[in-house]
Each structure stands twice: as structure tokens, then as C-alpha cells.
């Protein structure tokens, strides 16, 4: 949400603390060891207990449900289903279609956010004065609820006849486009909406990252007569790579679980043209009331999300340790 | 990275081009919000006029309807306020001590527990809303405050722990050691030495947790009802039931988002810090 569906879950530092465990242990070795551990367990215990109860328990229940028939529309069929939901999924064209849409949606929106965000950050870095204005304006999309963003775009921007995007396109001499009513434009629209809301995040991270780079490196490069493109490829890019990787990881997680803006703008439609995997899992569960199959779809999304983040993290550590 | 072009005119021309390009991009972020403001000041018939009109007699009628009468979003506004505040208080009370233990104390199995916290943060919300619907339905917690706050903890708590860990790690260890030499207990050290140091971090955490709870939609739309209906859900119902009342929707949406916009602009520096705390520091910490 939130920051929507998050900005839901924005800004957390994803890595790090675990690595310093041994250092911290050594640091306090003069104090009675066990006493500190008991105190630490006392401090961390409540939060961990709440996490287990609120996240792990429902997740185990989700996985359990994915092996059940739970259909509120056909309760007489309920019972253990074994792998039925998963075999159904493999044969389900809608599942593969939603998976394909998820990939298109996530990859293109993350790519656009990184490219536009970095380009804009580089541009704004060149501006001698007024960078603060950009920081403030960039906050605006981030703090709006994604559902409100989806509604704004659906009603005010993309609506036929009086949406201003529609008006602008017609005024420029192009034909009327049914932005949310035809499959391909609808998919482009929801990617545009996501990119609109979250590019500021990438922009702000890159701006802060660029501002923290040591100026003397650039001085040296100028003395060596390196051009702007060379400076970007050989100095800027390697130096901001940690920020780049973090942005890609965080934005991928959010894009994979995007819901509210698409739901508000298209509800997955027209037909299933914008129904990415989690909207499909949602529809299966809460519209068709087939909670067993919906759970299996959600498990698939969970496995994919964890696999993608695992691969991205592995890439990060591999590069860092080089 | 400022220009080293010795020719003033060329530099000026370059700056003007930079400003124009940047201003255009800036406009893209502002226009939808600005347009919502304009639409909210129109009558419903003016909204439907084509081509869209920029000159019209502004009216506050939509705002009056949004706060009173049958279209009022005020009840939802208060619901969201209660939900977000309760979530924020609980999250901070749980996350700050946990973050201190993770960042600065020896805790058995800390690596595994840190990884566990990280993974819980990556669970797609749709993976939780399905079991939660069934569980809350069983225990009678659908459409209740305690139900939604419990669900909101699933995304606020892991996030807050990780954010606070990164602030806790920044405190110089000498500060704690000085307190220990003065024979302060661990609890006293945490209270008198550590907490004052991470006040800024707690402020960032409060802002983000409140913001995320206020803007949440997927859990809210499915696990709430007529009794506990947050603003994001009230917004959505508004447009799907009353398709044509777009000026009223714009006014209601702007009122619902006003606290977030105010927080966003007022706490702009803290928000940028919160967004970038991991990403930027990731570079120096290898």
C-alpha cells in the first residue's frame, strides 16, 4: 500500500543485521553471557511470538488449505484433495495466462521505474538549485493509497470522453483509445499507473545515493578527460550498484504483490487482460468462493516471490563478494 | 557534478534546458492530483463537459457532501484513524525492543531469526488474506478492529523491526559501554542511552507504519464490512455504487488522503530517509 498496498512495505533495509551477529556477541563478552541472552530473548520474544502467530500460522493454514477442497459454493464436495488443486493448476490456461501477465507487469514496471528514476535523479543532480522541490513533489504519489491512485487514473485520467489523457491524445490528433476497455491498452495502462506511483521511490533512492558519492572520484575522472558517458558507466554505475540492486529487489517484491491499483482501475479486466496472478487467486477465492484452489494459486505466487527474491539476493551477494 | 563549462552563456542555456526537462517530469506527478483538486471543485455536470473546462465557478458543495449527509466519509475516516493508530502503537512497542536485541545483543539463533523476519516481510498479501478470511470468520473477528489490526501487524511488524535494526546499528558502542561502566543495568541503558539515540528512527517507523496502515486496501476490503470500514474501502464503494458522482469521489478521496499528503510534505526529510536508509547505506556496509 501505501505507500500502499504499500506503499506497503516500503523502505525497509533488507539485509545486514544478521552478518554482525558474531561481532555483537564479542563486543559484550565482558558481561555475563547468559544474562545478556536472557535479556535479549525477553526483548525479542514478544515480537517473534506475534510474528509466528500472525504470519506463520496463517501461512501453514494456507498451505494446508491448498491440499483441500474448500468451495463455499459447493460445500458438499469439501474434504482432503491431495494434489488435485495443483494438478488442476498445471492444466489451467488461466493460471499460465496470469503468470505471463505477472511477469510482463513486474519486469516492465520495475525496468521503467529504474530507468526513469535513475535518469531523473541524474538530471536533477545537475540542477544547481531547487532540488528540494523535486523531493517534495516525488513524495506525493508515494503517500497516496494505491486504490486511490487506481481510482484517480480510472476516473479522471483515462476515462473516455473526459479523462485528460484521453483528451490530450485526441488533441494531439491520435484516434480515441479505449484505455481501460481493450486488452492491450488496459495492460499498458496498469503498468503506466504502477510506474507513475513508484518511480518517485526509485528517484529518491537514487538521488540520495548519487548525493552520497565522493566528488573527488569525479574530479579525478575529469582530469583524465573521461566523458559523461564513460563517467556514468565506469564510476557512477559501479558506485550506486548497491542502491540499484536494493531498488530492484524491493520494487520486484511490491510489483509481484500489486493489487489495489489494478483492482480499482480494471478489476483484472477487460476479461482477464490485466488479471495478474494475485488478482486471479483473489477472484478464485472471493468471487468464485473456491478457497482450496485459490489457496493453491496463492502458494504458487508465494513460491515465485520467494524464488525471485532468493535469486536477486544471490546475485547481490555474488557481485559484492567479487 | 556541476558543470565545468567555462562559457557562461552555454551553461545558462544548459541549465534552462535542464529545468524545462525536469519541470515537465515533475508535472507528470502533479497533474493527476491537481486534476483531482480541480474536478472536486466542479459540479457533476461540469465534470462531464467536453472538452474539459479549466474555467468554471468553483463550488465547495462536494466537500460539504463528503463530510456530512449520506455521502459522508467521516465515519470511515475515524475508523482508519483508530486502526492506524492502534497498529502503530502495537508495532512500535513490539519492534523497538526486538530490534535492539537483533542489532546489539547476543541472541541465540539470531541469524536464523533475522532471516525468518525477513521472509515474513516477503509474503504476498493475497497469500495471507485467504487464510485470514477463513480464520477470522471462524473466531468471529471479521469486520472488527482487533481483526484488522492483527492482520495489519503482518506487514508492519517485520518492516518496523528491519527499519529499527538499521537505526540501532548506527549507535556507537562506546555509548553503551560508558553506561555499563557507570553500573547501569541493561534495561536502564536501553531506556536512557539507546532510546534517545533512535528517536529519529522511531519517528520514521511511526510515519511509515501509520501511512501503510492508512493506505491498506486488500485486507481491508475483504476482512471489513459495515462496522469497521477504512477510508480506502469507503472510497472504492463510493465509485462502484455511484459511478457518475465523480466530483464527489474526487472530494472524498482528497479528504481521505489529506492526512497522508500533509504528513508526506511535513515529514518529507524523514520519509526520504526511511526510503533510502538501507539502499544508500548498503554501499558503505560491505
Amino acid at each position: 500500500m501505501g505507500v500502499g498496498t504499500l506503499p506497503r512495505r516500503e523502505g525497509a533495509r533488507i539485509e545486514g543485521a544478521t552478518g554482525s551477529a558474531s561481532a555483537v556477541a564479542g563486543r559484550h563478552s565482558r558481561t555475563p553471557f547468559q544474562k545478556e541472552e536472557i535479556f535479549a530473548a525477553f526483548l525479542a520474544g514478544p515480537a517473534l511470538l506475534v510474528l509466528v502467530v500472525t504470519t506463520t500460522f496463517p501461512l501453514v493454514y494456507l498451505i494446508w488449505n491448498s491440499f483441500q477442497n474448500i468451495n463455499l459454493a459447493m460445500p458438499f464436495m469439501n474434504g482432503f484433495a491431495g494434489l488435485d488443486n495443483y494438478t488442476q493448476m498445471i492444466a489451467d490456461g488461466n493460471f499460465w495466462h496470469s503468470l505471463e501477465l505477472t511477469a510482463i507487469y513486474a519486469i516492465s514496471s520495475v525496468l521503467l521505474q529504474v530507468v526513469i528514476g535513475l535518469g531523473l535523479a541524474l538530471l536533477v543532480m545537475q540542477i544547481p538549485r531547487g532540488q528540494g522541490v523535486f523531493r517534495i513533489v516525488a513524495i506525493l504519489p508515494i503517500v497516496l493509497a494505491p486504490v486511490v491512485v487506481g481510482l484517480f487514473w480510472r476516473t479522471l485520467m483515462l476515462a473516455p470522453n473526459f479523462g485528460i489523457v484521453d483528451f490530450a491524445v485526441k488533441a494531439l490528433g491520435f484516434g480515441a483509445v479505449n484505455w481501460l476497455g481493450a486488452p492491450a491498452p488496459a495492460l499498458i495502462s496498469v503498468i503506466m499507473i504502477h510506474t507513475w506511483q513508484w518511480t518517485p521511490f526509485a528517484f529518491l533512492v537514487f538521488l540520495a545515493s548519487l548525493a552520497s558519492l565522493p566528488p573527488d572520484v569525479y574530479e579525478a575522472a575529469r582530469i583524465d578527460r573521461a566523458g559523461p558517458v564513460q563517467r556514468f558507466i565506469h564510476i557512477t554505475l559501479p558506485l550506486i550498484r548497491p542502491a540499484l540492486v536494493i531498488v530492484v529487489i524491493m520494487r520486484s517484491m511490491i510489483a509481484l504483490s500489486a493489487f489495489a491499483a489494478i483492482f480499482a482501475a480494471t478489476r483484472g479486466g477487460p476479461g482477464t487482460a490485466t488479471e495478474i496472478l494475485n488478482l486471479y487467486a483473489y477472484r478464485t477465492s472471493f468471487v468464485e468462493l473456491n478457497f482450496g484452489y485459490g489457496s493453491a494459486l496463492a502458494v504458487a505466487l508465494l513460491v515465485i516471490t520467494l524464488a525471485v527474491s532468493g535469486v536477486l539476493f544471490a546475485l547481490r551477494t555474488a557481485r559484492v563478494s567479487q | 557534478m556541476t558543470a565545468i563549462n567555462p562559457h557562461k552563456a552555454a551553461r545558462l542555456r544548459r541549465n534552462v534546458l535542464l529545468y524545462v526537462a525536469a519541470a515537465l517530469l515533475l508535472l507528470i506527478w502533479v497533474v493527476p492530483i491537481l486534476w483531482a483538486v480541480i474536478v472536486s471543485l466542479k459540479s457533476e455536470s461540469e465534470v462531464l463537459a467536453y472538452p474539459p473546462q479549466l474555467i468554471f465557478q468553483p463550488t465547495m458543495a462536494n466537500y460539504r457532501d463528503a463530510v456530512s449527509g449520506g455521502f459522508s466519509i467521516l465515519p470511515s475516516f475515524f475508523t482508519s484513524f483508530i486502526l492506524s493508530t492502534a497498529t502503530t502503537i502495537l508495532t512500535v512497542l513490539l519492534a523497538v525492543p526486538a530490534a535492539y536485541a537483533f542489532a546489539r545483543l547476543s541472541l541465540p539463533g539470531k541469524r536464523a531469526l533475522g532471516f525468518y523476519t525477513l521472509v515474513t516481510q516477503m509474503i504476498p498479501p493475497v497469500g495471507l488474506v485467504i487464510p485470514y478470511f477463513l480464520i477470522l470468520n471462524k473466531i468471529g473477528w471479521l469486520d472488527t478492529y482487533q481483526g484488522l489490526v492483527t492482520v495489519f501487524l503482518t506487514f508492519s511488524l517485520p518492516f518496523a523491526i528491519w527499519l529499527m535494526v538499521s537505526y540501532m546499528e548506527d549507535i556507537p558502542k562506546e555509548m553503551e559501554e560508558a553506561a555499563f561502566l557507570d553500573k547501569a543495568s541493561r534495561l536502564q541503558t536501553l531506556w536512557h542511552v539507546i532510546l534517545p539515540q533512535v528517536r529519529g528512527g522511531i519517528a520514521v517507523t511511526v510515519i511509515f507504519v501509520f501511512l501503510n496502515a492508512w493506505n491498506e486496501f486488500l485486507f481491508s476490503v475483504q476482512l471489513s464490512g459495515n462496522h469497521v470500514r477504512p477510508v480506502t474501502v469507503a472510497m472504492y464503494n463510493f465509485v462502484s455504487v455511484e459511478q457518475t458522482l465523480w466530483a464527489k469521489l474526487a472530494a472524498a478521496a482528497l479528504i481521505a488522503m489529506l492526512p497522508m499528503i500533509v504528513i508526506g510534505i511535513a515529514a518529507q526529510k524523514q520519509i526520504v530517509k526511511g526510503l533510502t536508509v538501507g539502499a544508500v547505506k548498503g554501499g558503505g556496509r560491505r
Side-chain angles (χ1 to χ4, degrees):
Chain A
M1 93 20 339
V3 159
T5 151
L6 181 254
R8 300 204 24 171
R9 309 186 189 192
E10 298 303 326
R13 215 164 75 73
I14 303 193
E15 48 84 54
T18 50
S20 59
S22 52
V24 175
R27 188 187 297 163
H28 296 300
S29 52
R30 76 177 72 152
T31 57
F33 189 62
Q34 280 183 325
K35 207 175 160 193
E36 179 177 315
E37 290 196 336
I38 292 168
F39 183 62
F42 171 73
L43 291 182
L48 288 167
L49 190 69
V50 170
L51 268 187
V52 169
V53 173
T54 62
T55 65
T56 310
F57 173 63
L59 215 55
V60 170
Y61 191 52
L62 174 84
I63 294 167
W64 170 250
N65 283 342
S66 73
F67 297 108
Q68 305 280 323
N69 276 320
I70 309 172
N71 194 329
L72 299 192
M74 289 185 282
F76 48 86
M77 294 284 289
N78 290 359
F80 190 68
L83 289 171
D84 286 2
N85 288 322
Y86 290 97
T87 47
Q88 184 190 342
M89 187 157 75
I90 289 166
D92 180 5
N94 272 333
F95 166 69
W96 294 106
H97 170 70
S98 69
L99 201 59
E100 192 188 330
L101 288 178
T102 304
I104 296 172
Y105 181 81
I107 291 170
S108 56
S109 66
V110 170
L111 210 63
L112 282 168
Q113 288 169 58
V114 168
V115 171
I116 300 173
L118 182 56
L120 190 57
L122 288 167
L123 188 80
V124 168
M125 279 300 287
Q126 310 284 317
I127 290 176
R129 242 171 264 168
Q131 290 187 9
V133 180
F134 287 89
R135 289 207 179 86
I136 292 176
V137 169
I139 290 289
L140 291 176
I142 291 176
V143 300
L144 292 182
V147 65
V148 168
V149 169
L151 286 174
F152 273 2
W153 278 85
R154 165 173 153 193
T155 58
L156 307 170
M157 305 298 290
L158 298 170
N161 295 328
F162 66 92
I164 56 172
V165 170
D166 195 60
F167 174 70
V169 168
K170 278 188 209 161
L172 289 170
F174 299 100
V177 178
N178 192 357
W179 287 105
L180 298 174
L187 185 58
I188 293 171
S189 293
V190 292
I191 291 169
M192 254 173 40
I193 295 170
H194 192 89
T195 306
W196 177 84
Q197 180 161 29
W198 297 117
T199 298
F201 170 84
F203 164 71
L204 289 171
V205 173
F206 289 136
L207 197 62
S209 184
L210 288 172
S212 70
L213 298 185
D216 46 327
V217 184
Y218 287 93
E219 279 313 314
R222 270 194 213 96
I223 292 164
D224 290 344
R225 294 175 185 262
V229 177
Q230 284 174 304
R231 288 204 297 267
F232 176 72
I233 291 174
H234 295 296
I235 304 176
T236 311
L237 223 45
L239 284 175
I240 64 164
R241 192 163 60 194
L244 205 64
V245 177
I246 286 279
V247 168
V248 169
I249 292 173
M250 289 173 62
R251 296 330 305 165
S252 304
M253 297 301 102
I254 298 295
L256 284 172
S257 56
F259 180 84
I262 303 181
F263 188 79
T266 67
R267 267 201 180 237
T272 56
T274 57
E275 193 172 73
I276 63 174
L277 185 49
N278 57 17
L279 269 95
Y280 183 42
Y282 175 86
R283 177 166 65 92
T284 304
S285 302
F286 295 109
V287 180
E288 292 170 5
L289 301 178
N290 190 346
F291 284 90
Y293 189 44
S295 297
L297 291 169
V299 169
L301 179 67
L302 179 73
V303 170
I304 291 164
T305 307
L306 293 179
V308 169
S309 63
V311 169
L312 290 173
F313 270 113
L315 282 177
R316 176 188 165 83
T317 21
R319 285 195 180 162
V320 166
S321 60
Q322 261 173 17
Chain B
M1 298 231 318
T2 48
I4 49 154
N5 194 328
H7 304 289
K8 267 193 170 178
R11 186 194 286 177
L12 187 70
R13 207 179 314 133
R14 186 170 159 276
N15 278 348
V16 168
L17 275 175
L18 279 173
Y19 276 114
V20 169
L24 276 177
L25 283 159
L26 192 118
L27 214 59
I28 294 174
W29 285 335
V30 182
V31 160
I33 300 163
L34 211 59
W35 190 242
V37 174
I38 291 170
V39 166
S40 74
L41 295 170
K42 290 181 172 185
S43 72
E44 294 292 347
S45 61
E46 282 167 334
V47 173
L48 297 169
Y50 190 86
Q53 292 167 328
L54 274 177
I55 297 158
F56 59 94
Q57 187 67 45
T59 169
M60 292 303 284
N62 299 313
Y63 287 94
R64 272 196 296 278
D65 288 343
V67 293
S68 65
F71 293 107
S72 174
I73 59 145
L74 278 193
S76 292
F77 197 90
F78 287 124
T79 299
S80 279
F81 186 78
I82 294 167
L83 283 171
S84 304
T85 306
T87 304
T88 307
I89 292 171
L90 267 176
T91 301
V92 169
L93 285 180
L94 289 166
V96 171
Y100 178 63
F102 274 126
R104 309 193 72 88
L105 299 177
S106 96
L107 179 69
K110 185 154 71 171
R111 262 187 93 85
L113 291 172
F115 183 71
Y116 167 73
T117 314
L118 181 62
V119 171
T120 58
Q121 200 185 348
M122 291 180 177
I123 304 170
V126 77
L128 287 173
V129 72
I130 296 171
Y132 261 112
F133 180 79
L134 299 169
I135 294 167
L136 297 186
N137 189 28
K138 261 180 200 159
I139 62 174
W141 277 20
L142 279 180
D143 199 13
T144 61
Y145 284 99
Q146 67 270 29
L148 276 181
V149 169
T150 305
V151 183
F152 285 0
L153 284 176
T154 63
F155 59 83
S156 70
L157 192 52
F159 165 78
I161 291 173
W162 279 91
L163 195 59
M164 283 313 302
V165 162
S166 67
Y167 282 95
M168 295 281 187
E169 284 183 334
D170 280 350
I171 305 168
K173 63 177 183 204
E174 288 78 13
M175 295 193 106
E176 268 174 302
E177 279 165 1
F180 291 143
L181 288 180
D182 291 342
K183 300 228 165 22
S185 73
R186 292 211 163 269
L187 202 59
Q188 284 171 327
T189 311
L190 173 59
W191 188 258
H192 295 291
V193 180
I194 301 294
L195 284 187
Q197 287 295 312
V198 294
R199 257 185 306 198
I202 294 175
V204 172
T205 308
V206 165
I207 292 167
F208 273 95
V209 171
F210 192 88
L211 189 78
N212 287 343
W214 188 275
N215 286 346
E216 206 290 323
F217 177 71
L218 173 58
F219 294 131
S220 305
V221 74
Q222 209 51 55
L223 308 176
S224 75
N226 290 329
H227 180 54
V228 180
R229 181 188 294 169
V231 279
T232 46
V233 181
M235 274 318 84
Y236 190 81
N237 288 350
F238 208 108
V239 73
S240 50
V241 178
E242 301 292 340
Q243 280 282 8
T244 48
L245 301 176
W246 294 2
K248 283 186 184 58
L249 164 74
L254 285 170
I255 290 175
M257 287 298 109
L258 191 67
M260 299 307 105
I261 293 173
V262 170
I263 291 172
I265 291 173
Q268 178 249 131
K269 286 215 172 82
Q270 283 74 17
I271 288 186
V272 173
K273 208 170 169 185
L275 290 173
T276 55
V277 71
V280 175
K281 272 200 290 181
R285 202 178 281 272
R286 279 179 287 167

